[in-house]
Amino acid sequence: MLFNSYEFIFIFLPIVFFVYFYLLKKRLIIGAKGFLVFSSLFFYSWWNVIYLPLILSSMLFNYVIGNSLNTNEEKIKSFSKKSILIFGIIANLSLLGYFKYADFFIENINLAVNTNISLFHLALPLAISFFTFQQIAYLVDSYRKETKEYDFLNYSLFVTFFPQLIAGPIVHHKEMMPQFASKWNMVKNYKNIALGLFIFSIGLFKKVVIADTFAIWATAGFADTTSLNFFEAWATSLSYTFQLYFDFSGYTDMAIGAALLFNIKLPINFNSPYKALDIQDFWRRWHITLSRFLRDYIYIPLGGNRKGSFRIYSNLMITFLLGGLWHGAGWTFVFWGFLHGMALVIHRLWKSFNFTMNKYLAWFVTFNFINIAWVFFRAKEWDDAIKVLKGMFGFDGVVVSQKFANAFNYLNPLNDFFILKGGALQAFITIYTLEFIAVGFVLISLKNSHQIIGNYNFSSNTILKLVFFVTLFVFANIFTINHESEFLYFNF
Amino acid sequence: MKKTKKLVYAFIFSSLIMLSTFFIGKFYIYKGNSPDMFNIANLIHYKKNYAQSIKTQKIIITSGSNSLYGLSAEAIEKTFNIPTVNNAVNADLQLKYHLYSTKVILKEGDIVILPLEYRVFNYKKNVKYQKERKYTAVYDKQYFVNKYGLKELINYYQKLGIGDFVRSLKLEKQFKGKQYIGKIINRNGDILVNRQHRKIMWDNPREIQNIDYATTDGFKLLKEFRKYCVEHDVLLFITFPNTIYYRDYEKDAYKKYFKNLYITLIKNNFNVLGNPYVFMYPRKLFFNTAYHLNQEGTKVRTKEFINILKENALFIRAIK
């Protein structure tokens, strides 16, 4: 069930909301939580009920392991706590590895040693990357005695809570469990409902109106053609850059909005990442909860900043290579991680030499690096990435109108590499594409959804605000809702 | 908190009102998002008008576009002095809709001729035929609901976005006042635009289908229709479509295929006019597809068809 579907917006969400608060009103707290867990599992099963036992088993397994780590005893049945933790982590990663990486692993073995082992062709269970990481964090924190003893119901709610179940934000038990337990959250709060509806509307609009429009050109550019010229390549890469941001941040806004209806505040996942002035700044703004996880459970355990420059740089590389691999079972993802790792290393070196850069230039360099790196992230094969990059750097010429080409053809003899050709753009790029990309740049420079909502004051310009959000919500609904579309991060 | 509560209710209420208004607007105002839909709707409208204006006995020719581009109802009308309606439009509306639309304009004593395209005999009742679905969802909702259900109709309109709606309004404006009678079709519903010979699309012999015709859903529909005709004193004839003659059709496999269809119709007591080979013509007589004759081809085909009708005792007895 997608957030941008009629079934979710007009049937599932209202029913769950009213039944949940009705049960709470009757002081049936366990019943209400149980109902929320049941609804969340129903929401998960809507995609494919076959994988329901998988998430249930994963939850039960991690709950048992987590609880056994959360005792004061050093050994449990002659096993040390550390070995139980390692066992728990390996079990989780094995599950993830089996479904997500088995075929990637087999393909590379076949390539390396010239064998012909059959692939499994397994479907990737929805949300497996997210709930696996979430529970690994729980196990590690249990080992560190940073968790309290939770009952299975509360733990289930933490893992399965439907707004964040499918594609994050990756939540921490410390930020979720107290909210589920708080009595203040057991009564309908109209301010939260209003904010939730408004953030949800913004997210829906970002997804169905903005992201799905950019998707048309991004998909056409990456898949449909054998070569792209300069403008087509830039239109393709920028379309994907904007599509990914508005799709994922739109989804997160909808998750945050839906959760707020239940008085649950999910952590913010995006903070205008394309305004970043350096790569470190970018990773403090993009998929914030994933960065937090990578920092707390990979980078810091590897040593973080504490073991000298060489270790800092290698820890960064390892963290980002794994981060790339988490996104997908493919060398293009790993390479994307490598690029970001390298960028962070270079940034560290730059800072260590106390170099500075004009902020506009800094933004330009950072944005373009991210835009170029996304080409590898998006490309299914190396050839697709090379095709787009060749076009972006003018290897396949710069196609302009014949009149313009004629006026500037004196440049060509000076540089055979950069060829001005008269002609037309391919059918998938129109003036509308370029206009929409310009709008994309304007949108990323504005306040993000949380800045708009952040200090929300209902006493001033209420009618205007109401009209604005109703317009967003209704327009998003009638624009493309229920058309075939999916959220990009469902693939991870 | 009171103000916020009012705000929430205002948001929900106004959103629902606007969305409902849009949905209702789509339901009643949306007319299709392609020129094809508008053309089909207009053709059916004019043909139906002419048929319903006839108070005496009439001849109705129903099929897909092979008869639209293949038979001159005007010539038949002049020969036999009986009003004749070329009720043929588009084969993609499918057999069930052809028969349904014929029933709407039928009355006692009429004569129905069905020169059906070969593929309609393989009509399957559980398949969602796209053009039939799209057309009837907009222009014949009663038919759509009977076949697919009300839930499916709501689902169809739900999925229409603002782009579809805007395109519909633009097309409606474009087609407003477009002249059909005298320019695209004549009063009897015969097409007028097939003046020359163009490059033929799908220029291949038919694919042979080894099916037991008597058991297909299409054949069952025809039998039900025949029963309806008997009950309402309507004379029903089945004949064969005009198609390009290919040498391959002389091969045994094709002979067996056409013979199989012909014999199945005869064995099931249908009144059959001609046989498939009689209505096969050279490529130069065709307009743009293997089923569409040009004006010259239409004259040839109609003349042969009129001769067949003149020799058919049932037909002669039936015309008053």
Side-chain angles (χ1 to χ4, degrees), chain B residues 49-99:
Chain B
N49 273 357
Y50 178 58
Q52 288 178 332
S53 71
I54 301 166
K55 305 298 175 201
T56 57
Q57 181 194 41
K58 63 184 179 292
I59 300 170
I60 301 168
I61 302 167
T62 295
S63 71
S65 56
N66 89 85
S67 305
L68 176 65
Y69 287 82
L71 274 173
S72 169
E74 187 185 31
I76 295 171
E77 183 172 298
K78 280 182 181 159
T79 305
F80 296 104
N81 204 24
I82 297 175
T84 307
V85 182
N86 189 328
N87 195 40
V89 181
N90 189 300
D92 288 335
L93 292 177
Q94 303 302 329
L95 179 64
K96 187 173 168 87
Y97 190 73
H98 293 325
L99 299 178

Side-chain angles (χ1 to χ4, degrees), chain A residues 71-372:
Chain A
T71 62
N72 289 321
E73 296 161 24
E74 281 308 314
K75 280 191 176 219
I76 294 148
K77 291 196 177 167
S78 79
F79 292 106
S80 69
K81 279 178 141 185
K82 194 166 188 181
S83 56
I84 294 174
L85 172 68
I86 292 170
F87 168 69
I89 292 174
I90 289 174
N92 276 290
L93 291 177
S94 301
L95 184 74
L96 182 63
Y98 173 70
F99 282 103
K100 196 166 177 176
Y101 301 107
D103 281 354
F104 175 62
F105 186 63
I106 293 170
E107 274 170 0
N108 283 287
I109 290 181
N110 285 342
L111 206 64
V113 297
N114 210 22
T115 49
N116 201 17
I117 306 167
S118 314
L119 303 177
F120 295 154
H121 296 297
L122 298 165
L124 185 66
L126 202 59
I128 191 169
S129 302
F130 290 92
F131 68 69
T132 301
F133 266 31
Q134 205 162 302
Q135 294 183 102
I136 288 176
Y138 175 74
L139 292 183
V140 172
D141 289 347
S142 296
Y143 175 78
R144 291 175 184 165
K145 291 204 179 50
E146 289 172 12
T147 59
K148 289 187 188 157
E149 208 173 299
Y150 305 116
D151 60 40
F152 187 61
L153 184 63
N154 281 311
Y155 179 78
S156 307
L157 196 50
F158 154 65
V159 175
T160 64
F161 186 45
F162 71 87
Q164 55 81 37
L165 172 62
I166 305 298
I170 301 173
V171 296
H172 210 266
H173 58 88
K174 264 190 284 212
E175 62 201 352
M176 297 301 288
M177 304 299 224
Q179 293 191 74
F180 289 127
S182 167
K183 286 191 169 50
W184 296 109
N185 289 343
M186 292 181 187
V187 179
K188 266 185 278 192
N189 180 323
Y190 281 93
K191 185 174 180 190
N192 283 343
I193 293 171
L195 288 175
L197 289 172
F198 291 172
I199 296 177
F200 189 91
S201 304
I202 295 175
L204 185 68
F205 187 88
K206 275 163 130 182
K207 163 62 186 163
V208 299
V209 178
I210 304 175
D212 285 352
T213 303
F214 279 121
I216 300 167
W217 305 306
T219 305
F222 274 99
D224 292 359
T225 59
T226 51
S227 75
L228 296 167
N229 68 40
F230 184 77
F231 289 108
E232 290 157 357
W234 277 98
T236 299
S237 73
L238 287 170
S239 293
Y240 183 68
T241 294
F242 290 132
Q243 178 202 354
L244 186 62
Y245 169 62
F246 286 109
D247 188 288
F248 197 14
S249 67
Y251 175 88
T252 308
D253 286 345
M254 284 194 267
I256 289 171
L260 258 181
L261 300 179
F262 298 88
N263 299 323
I264 303 297
K265 291 185 171 68
L266 294 180
I268 291 169
N269 225 4
F270 293 89
N271 184 19
S272 302
Y274 292 151
K275 285 180 180 170
L277 299 180
D278 57 61
I279 197 68
Q280 189 179 45
D281 189 20
F282 174 77
W283 281 103
R284 286 185 181 141
R285 295 166 177 265
W286 177 275
H287 204 172
I288 296 167
T289 56
L290 177 67
S291 311
R292 180 177 68 179
F293 179 92
L294 293 173
R295 182 197 65 207
D296 292 345
Y297 298 99
I298 299 179
Y299 181 69
I300 290 175
L302 283 173
N305 308 350
R306 291 172 283 122
K307 308 256 179 177
S309 303
F310 179 76
R311 281 292 296 269
I312 292 174
Y313 304 146
S314 52
N315 291 343
L316 280 170
M317 284 306 302
I318 292 168
T319 303
F320 276 85
L321 284 170
L322 290 173
L325 193 61
W326 176 85
H327 280 89
W331 290 114
T332 50
F333 288 108
V334 176
F335 188 67
W336 169 82
F338 167 77
L339 286 176
H340 276 267
M342 275 307 299
L344 279 158
V345 166
I346 293 169
H347 171 72
R348 286 258 176 180
L349 281 167
W350 179 273
K351 268 173 70 173
S352 68
F353 290 127
N354 289 321
F355 290 148
T356 56
M357 193 187 281
N358 168 273
K359 71 174 181 183
Y360 296 106
L361 183 63
W363 173 83
F364 182 81
V365 169
T366 307
F367 181 84
N368 278 293
F369 168 78
I370 293 160
N371 181 44
I372 289 165

Side-chain angles (χ1 to χ4, degrees), chain B residues 51-252:
Chain B
Q52 288 178 332
S53 71
I54 301 166
K55 305 298 175 201
T56 57
Q57 181 194 41
K58 63 184 179 292
I59 300 170
I60 301 168
I61 302 167
T62 295
S63 71
S65 56
N66 89 85
S67 305
L68 176 65
Y69 287 82
L71 274 173
S72 169
E74 187 185 31
I76 295 171
E77 183 172 298
K78 280 182 181 159
T79 305
F80 296 104
N81 204 24
I82 297 175
T84 307
V85 182
N86 189 328
N87 195 40
V89 181
N90 189 300
D92 288 335
L93 292 177
Q94 303 302 329
L95 179 64
K96 187 173 168 87
Y97 190 73
H98 293 325
L99 299 178
Y100 165 85
S101 67
T102 306
K103 279 185 192 173
V104 169
I105 55 175
L106 264 184
K107 60 179 192 308
E108 280 189 16
D110 286 347
I111 299 169
V112 174
I113 300 172
L114 303 177
L116 299 170
E117 285 82 1
Y118 295 110
R119 61 183 165 106
V120 308
F121 289 98
N122 201 16
Y123 171 83
K124 291 180 173 65
K125 67 180 180 189
N126 294 325
V127 171
K128 286 183 185 174
Y129 294 100
Q130 281 308 311
K131 204 169 232 172
E132 179 216 33
R133 201 167 163 269
K134 279 185 184 173
Y135 176 78
T136 56
V138 177
Y139 290 100
D140 213 323
K141 291 180 178 67
Q142 188 59 54
Y143 174 91
F144 187 102
V145 168
N146 287 343
K147 187 173 178 191
Y148 298 109
L150 182 62
K151 191 181 163 202
E152 188 67 24
L153 185 70
I154 294 170
N155 201 30
Y156 176 84
Y157 276 92
Q158 225 179 43
K159 287 187 192 295
L160 291 175
I162 198 166
D164 298 308
F165 189 65
V166 168
R167 219 166 294 128
S168 168
L169 293 174
K170 279 185 183 170
L171 283 168
E172 199 171 353
K173 200 177 168 188
Q174 190 185 317
F175 275 81
K176 194 176 180 181
K178 185 173 177 176
Q179 191 192 341
Y180 274 78
I181 306 290
K183 209 169 171 192
I184 296 170
I185 53 171
N186 62 18
R187 186 192 61 151
N188 300 78
D190 306 320
I191 204 86
L192 297 174
V193 300
N194 55 337
R195 287 193 181 83
Q196 45 314 41
H197 166 72
R198 288 192 191 160
K199 183 171 160 52
I200 304 292
M201 290 193 286
W202 312 302
D203 190 2
N204 292 303
R206 274 197 58 71
E207 199 182 294
I208 293 178
Q209 292 173 295
N210 289 316
I211 48 174
D212 179 4
Y213 284 108
T215 62
T216 63
D217 293 330
F219 214 80
K220 285 174 191 163
L221 276 178
L222 283 172
K223 281 187 183 171
E224 281 166 19
F225 185 70
R226 185 188 53 200
K227 188 175 171 215
Y228 177 89
C229 290
V230 165
E231 285 166 2
H232 291 81
D233 190 29
V234 169
L235 182 58
L236 171 66
F237 288 102
I238 294 193
T239 185
F240 302 95
N242 30 270
T243 57
I244 291 178
Y245 170 77
Y246 294 100
R247 279 231 181 102
D248 282 16
Y249 288 158
E250 298 300 342
K251 290 181 182 167
D252 284 346

